[in-house]
Amino acid sequence: MNILTLKDVSKIYGELKALDNINLTVEKGEWLAIMGPSGSGKTTMMNIIGCMDKASIGEVILDDTNISKLSPKELTEIRRDKIGLIFQQFHLVNYLTAVENIMMAQYYHSMPDEEEAMAALEAVGLADRAKHLPNQLSGGQRQRVAIARSLIYRPSILLADEPTGNLDRKNSDEIIGLLKLSNKNYKQTIIMITHDERIALEADRIIKIEDGEIL
């Protein structure tokens, strides 16, 4: 069963085609890695899938919903309810503790639940760091908080943009291990951008993008 389909998708800025006639399907529970040089279009595609931008041409079907024609408000709701986001820069709120960062995500989705947020931290091995601020955590620990925050409401798709880009090899391996567990245990669909072929090989499938086209 496909959870995502891109049909003849292009993104055009004036004379520039950031994406050029992209066709792609992703099955539910699949882990897809996207690779390509800077400026290849991979982040543009990720932004369209993540409802942060819209295609100029073509259709994007996400979890049986055609998101191509939705309003900005509707896209925000889809992103809130169906998309989990992990970034290279973590994007934690510096003045909130680890558990409060997760509870903030709960607030935007439904209602904060500290017990549930603590369970999410425990799942990523950080229950003992629940009251620590981000600047009291290592890079790997901050990324684990970001993963717990993204998975707290079991999104349909987890989008990970260079999730190990700021981490050393040991911490990178720990983060990939968490993603593997989520993919295996919860059948979590993962779409991941990475420059690291070693990391990409953990995925079920790798696609490469260059000059806005899938090679």
Side-chain angles (χ1 to χ4, degrees):
M1 177 182 177
N2 293 336
I3 195 168
L4 176 70
T5 302
L6 277 68
K7 298 180 181 178
D8 303 321
V9 168
S10 295
K11 182 64 179 181
I12 304 168
Y13 300 98
E15 299 296 317
L16 172 67
K17 274 192 174 181
L19 292 178
D20 188 3
N21 200 39
I22 295 290
N23 287 279
L24 176 69
T25 58
V26 180
E27 293 185 4
K28 188 172 184 179
E30 183 179 7
W31 184 349
L32 175 71
I34 302 174
M35 301 189 73
S38 296
S40 62
K42 58 188 186 298
T43 298
T44 299
M45 187 166 75
M46 184 77 86
N47 287 341
I48 290 172
I49 295 169
C51 300
M52 293 173 282
D53 200 355
K54 295 177 71 171
S56 304
I57 302 170
E59 291 188 339
V60 181
I61 314 298
L62 173 62
D63 206 9
D64 296 325
T65 299
N66 187 342
I67 65 173
S68 309
K69 307 300 181 184
L70 297 184
S71 68
K73 181 176 184 295
E74 290 170 323
L75 285 174
T76 298
E77 291 170 353
I78 292 287
R79 184 170 66 249
R80 180 194 66 197
D81 295 339
K82 295 183 180 294
I83 306 292
L85 298 168
I86 302 174
F87 300 98
Q88 182 176 348
Q89 301 296 335
F90 317 132
H91 292 300
L92 300 179
V93 179
N94 290 329
Y95 57 82
L96 297 180
T97 64
V99 71
E100 288 170 344
N101 266 281
I102 295 174
M103 290 172 68
M104 183 182 69
Q106 290 176 310
Y107 171 79
Y108 286 113
H109 188 258
S110 54
M111 289 290 290
D113 183 326
E114 186 170 0
E115 185 175 338
E116 190 178 62
M118 282 297 301
L121 279 178
E122 186 171 1
V124 298
L126 284 181
D128 61 336
R129 297 290 189 271
K131 301 301 182 183
H132 286 58
L133 296 170
N135 63 9
Q136 297 171 316
L137 302 173
S138 69
Q141 289 171 336
R142 279 178 278 172
Q143 191 62 292
R144 280 192 272 169
V145 173
I147 290 174
R149 179 186 59 189
S150 296
L151 294 175
I152 188 68
Y153 50 89
R154 296 280 173 249
S156 300
I157 294 181
L158 183 65
L159 301 182
D161 190 355
E162 296 284 2
T164 61
N166 280 335
L167 305 178
D168 59 26
R169 181 160 183 158
K170 177 178 180 296
N171 280 301
S172 294
D173 289 344
E174 289 180 358
I175 295 307
I176 293 303
L178 286 173
L179 294 179
K180 287 172 71 173
L181 284 175
S182 181
N183 178 249
K184 179 180 178 181
N185 294 345
Y186 302 108
K187 308 302 180 186
Q188 179 70 59
T189 306
I190 300 173
I191 301 177
M192 175 181 68
I193 289 177
T194 182
H195 282 98
D196 189 335
E197 191 162 354
R198 183 181 69 89
I199 298 298
L201 288 171
E202 299 288 352
D204 300 318
R205 178 165 55 118
I206 300 172
I207 64 169
K208 295 189 177 182
I209 296 182
E210 192 168 314
D211 297 327
E213 299 179 340
I214 294 177
L215 300 181

